Amino acid sequence: MQRRPLLLLVAAAVLSAGSSVPLAQARPTGPAVATPAASTPAPAAAGPAVATRHPVHAATRVTSAPAPGVTLTTLTYGKRDADDLWTAQVNLPSQPDGPLSGAPLALGPHATAQRVAKLLGAAGFTPRVERVTTPAYADRRAGVLGWTVRAGRYADEADATALVARLKAAGFTARTRYTAQDGTDEDAPQRVHVLRVDLDAFGGRLAAGHGPALNGTEKLTDLIAASGAVAGINGQWFYNSAPGGMYVKDGRLLGSATQGRAGVRLDRGGRGLAVDTFTTRVTVTAGGETAEVDGINRLPGEVWNCGGVGGDQPTERPQHDLKCTDASELVRFTPEWGAPPAGAGAEAVLDARGRVTAVHPTRGTAVPAGGSTLQATGDSAAWLLRTARVGATLSFDERIRDGQGRTVVLGPDTTILQVGPSLVRAGRVAVNAVGDGIVREGPDQTFTYDWTVRANPRSMIGKDGQGRLLLVVVDGRDPGVSEGLSIDGAARLMRSLGAREALNLDGGGSSVLATSAGIVNRPSDASGQRSLGNALLLLPR
């Protein structure tokens, strides 16, 4: 069957990434729709638009109603083609003349790919060099991401696995790939689960939920059972068993921001939903001196997804799934965290009014009820020991700003989950790929290829033109049944489902949608649903 390409390919040379564009200023890539839609036109700089009808509109539908105002629909579309095959990917070395054994890169420069292909040929294999491209994003032109080397075309995975074994025996580094999961075929088999909620008809609310402590994970079905929720979906990324990125629950800032990354803001129980970028600036004043607080409720020194403040290495810009570090930090812990980490440094223990009840030259004291602790490492420890005094009051200032630099006022029912990337803004596809850190800095674009470009299970939240919530999971990594989507494909899907605003949630093996009756989708982990850092729960009141 003739392929219909998912994205428009343009320049054959790598195009450099532009600077991050605030979401409100992102160049959107298509008209607003709530009915069968044209495929997303690229930004003007990326070439002409290509109009196609999204295959989800021809999907087989199975619909149920878990509660009044709540509709659950499973959509099945696409089909397996003759060119959906198993192949072997041969990794490239980091340096053009580097060793092939242990080579780490899924793709790289054309010259390096050609060298590896030549060596494969000399070893008796039949390689092919393939170009990997990216579509146009709101803050990055379309272009070539890199080149990958493959060998073999098989109908069965077992044959590709046998080839990988032969490649490894010959000194190469290889793994199997399924071509339908390259993320470039809009007609690949998919299974999409859509929970559409009219909150007024339902009479309840959408709220964030986590287990007994932030420092710990819980399965979605357990969170649903404990809260009495009608349904739920996985929420934020989680690292060190805690949510990663800014987390606001019931108007309280419980998690550090990944500065400038996208998030979803919910007010009035989800009746108000907005996708935007967010930054925070938290300071503490002690002994007449003011210092920046690096984080809230996370391990000091470990800045997952980067995007921190105060000299983090190697970057202060968002980089998804990358751990940046900082040897000198101030991190505040609230009672929601659980037991704070212990270690070298210093800490101040504060009561509910911010009054210092104790100062310690090490870290790890339990957080008092209603109070907090302020932990310090590196040079910040000396500052805290010098300025914090028992009986004195430490004052904290927390400021959250949106993509336009406006102050975000937190009400008692405000929820913010910083996840990303953004998918749809004002009814148009608007993926802020560079600003959200889903395009890697530097020459190694393996992560960008595997996570952003290739197909994976995805979870999304959005709002349609009638103000209804959309909680959506796309199954993936199930060859011939549901391949999953690229980030661009997820954005196109959400727009075609009628989303006016949409945000990507945690995905992959974490993607799970459930009702009180049980799990709706098919989680991709062999063990089933994962334990999560937090979730979004549809509560009856």
Side-chain angles (χ1 to χ4, degrees):
M1 171 177 165
Q2 183 69 32
R3 291 290 190 194
R4 286 194 299 148
L6 175 63
L7 47 90
L8 182 66
L9 305 181
V10 291
V14 176
L15 298 175
S16 61
S19 59
S20 173
V21 180
L23 283 180
Q25 301 174 16
R27 291 180 295 175
T29 53
V33 295
T35 55
S39 71
T40 307
V50 177
T52 61
R53 176 184 171 89
H54 197 286
V56 73
H57 296 295
T60 300
R61 298 166 182 257
V62 177
T63 302
S64 62
V70 182
T71 302
L72 174 63
T73 305
T74 294
L75 307 166
T76 304
Y77 65 90
K79 68 179 184 178
R80 188 171 185 170
D81 295 328
D83 51 349
D84 291 345
L85 299 169
W86 289 94
T87 189
Q89 171 197 288
V90 182
N91 279 11
L92 310 183
S94 298
Q95 300 300 321
D97 57 350
L100 301 183
S101 179
L105 306 186
L107 73 171
H110 187 256
T112 304
Q114 291 284 16
R115 174 198 166 223
V116 171
K118 183 177 180 180
L119 292 171
L120 283 165
F125 300 98
T126 304
R128 60 190 187 276
V129 175
E130 297 180 354
R131 183 179 64 175
V132 175
T133 63
T134 61
Y137 300 117
D139 56 356
R140 190 182 194 272
R141 292 176 179 271
V144 177
L145 187 67
W147 301 80
T148 191
V149 177
R150 290 176 169 179
R153 302 174 189 267
Y154 304 103
D156 297 320
E157 184 180 11
D159 293 327
T161 300
L163 175 59
V164 166
R166 295 196 301 273
L167 287 163
K168 290 181 178 179
F172 296 93
T173 303
R175 58 164 294 178
T176 60
R177 292 283 200 188
Y178 188 57
T179 59
Q181 295 172 12
D182 285 344
T184 57
D185 180 17
E186 202 167 52
D187 288 321
Q190 305 293 355
R191 190 169 49 205
V192 180
H193 311 275
V194 182
L195 197 73
R196 199 180 295 260
V197 184
D198 180 337
L199 284 170
D200 290 333
F202 173 59
R205 60 192 175 96
L206 186 69
H210 55 264
L214 282 174
N215 183 23
T217 58
E218 300 286 335
K219 292 182 177 179
L220 177 61
T221 50
D222 292 337
L223 291 171
I224 289 174
S227 64
V230 170
I233 192 171
N234 60 286
Q236 289 177 281
W237 327 111
F238 51 100
Y239 305 94
N240 300 318
S241 298
M246 184 170 66
Y247 180 28
V248 173
K249 178 176 169 57
D250 300 328
R252 283 173 51 81
L253 181 61
L254 300 181
S256 307
T258 304
Q259 303 290 10
R261 193 168 193 178
V264 61
R265 175 181 172 180
L266 304 171
D267 290 292
R268 295 180 289 116
R271 290 162 179 81
L273 181 151
V275 174
D276 209 328
T277 57
F278 296 96
T279 59
T280 60
R281 186 166 191 265
V282 181
T283 59
V284 58
T285 299
E289 299 182 26
T290 299
E292 192 157 45
V293 175
D294 296 85
I296 297 174
N297 290 328
R298 67 162 171 80
L299 298 188
E302 297 190 11
V303 190
W304 277 101
N305 293 334
C306 303
V309 296
D312 300 346
Q313 296 297 322
T315 180
E316 290 186 4
R317 292 182 292 273
Q319 288 285 276
H320 182 59
D321 267 357
L322 181 68
K323 183 175 75 172
C324 284
T325 59
D326 188 344
S328 176
E329 288 202 310
L330 290 172
V331 176
R332 190 182 191 189
F333 290 91
T334 68
E336 290 86 354
W337 171 263
E347 71 182 2
V349 182
L350 314 174
D351 66 15
R353 295 177 297 172
R355 187 176 62 88
V356 179
T357 61
V359 178
H360 301 297
T362 58
R363 300 180 292 115
T365 301
V367 180
S372 64
T373 64
L374 183 62
Q375 292 196 355
T377 59
D379 293 341
S380 295
W383 179 87
L384 187 64
L385 291 172
R386 178 171 55 81
T387 58
R389 294 287 181 267
V390 173
T393 297
L394 302 191
S395 59
F396 290 87
D397 183 60
E398 299 178 347
R399 297 178 185 270
I400 301 174
R401 298 190 183 278
D402 64 15
Q404 295 297 301
R406 297 170 298 201
T407 298
V408 176
V409 179
L410 302 181
D413 71 340
T414 300
T415 292
I416 300 176
L417 297 186
Q418 197 178 36
V419 201
S422 59
L423 299 175
V424 179
R425 297 298 314 279
R428 299 183 177 189
V429 170
V431 177
N432 229 33
V434 176
D436 269 322
I438 63 169
V439 173
R440 269 287 190 267
E441 296 177 353
D444 181 0
Q445 293 298 316
T446 296
F447 167 82
T448 309
Y449 176 46
D450 285 341
W451 193 93
T452 306
V453 175
R454 286 183 56 79
N456 289 284
R458 307 284 182 188
S459 297
M460 292 83 74
I461 182 174
K463 178 178 68 174
D464 69 13
Q466 298 179 47
R468 296 174 297 184
L469 290 173
L470 293 169
L471 304 179
V472 180
V473 165
V474 180
D475 288 336
R477 302 172 186 166
D478 193 354
V481 178
S482 191
E483 312 301 349
L485 293 172
S486 67
I487 284 294
D488 183 67
R492 292 168 183 262
L493 170 68
M494 290 300 286
R495 195 191 69 166
S496 294
L497 291 173
R500 298 287 300 171
E501 301 283 319
L503 181 83
N504 185 67
L505 301 172
D506 190 6
S510 297
S511 284
V512 59
L513 180 69
T515 69
S516 56
I519 298 174
V520 172
N521 71 308
R522 183 184 182 277
S524 64
D525 285 0
S527 57
Q529 67 168 322
R530 289 181 182 173
S531 289
L532 307 171
N534 60 14
L536 287 165
L537 303 173
L538 188 62
L539 301 173
R541 58 187 184 281

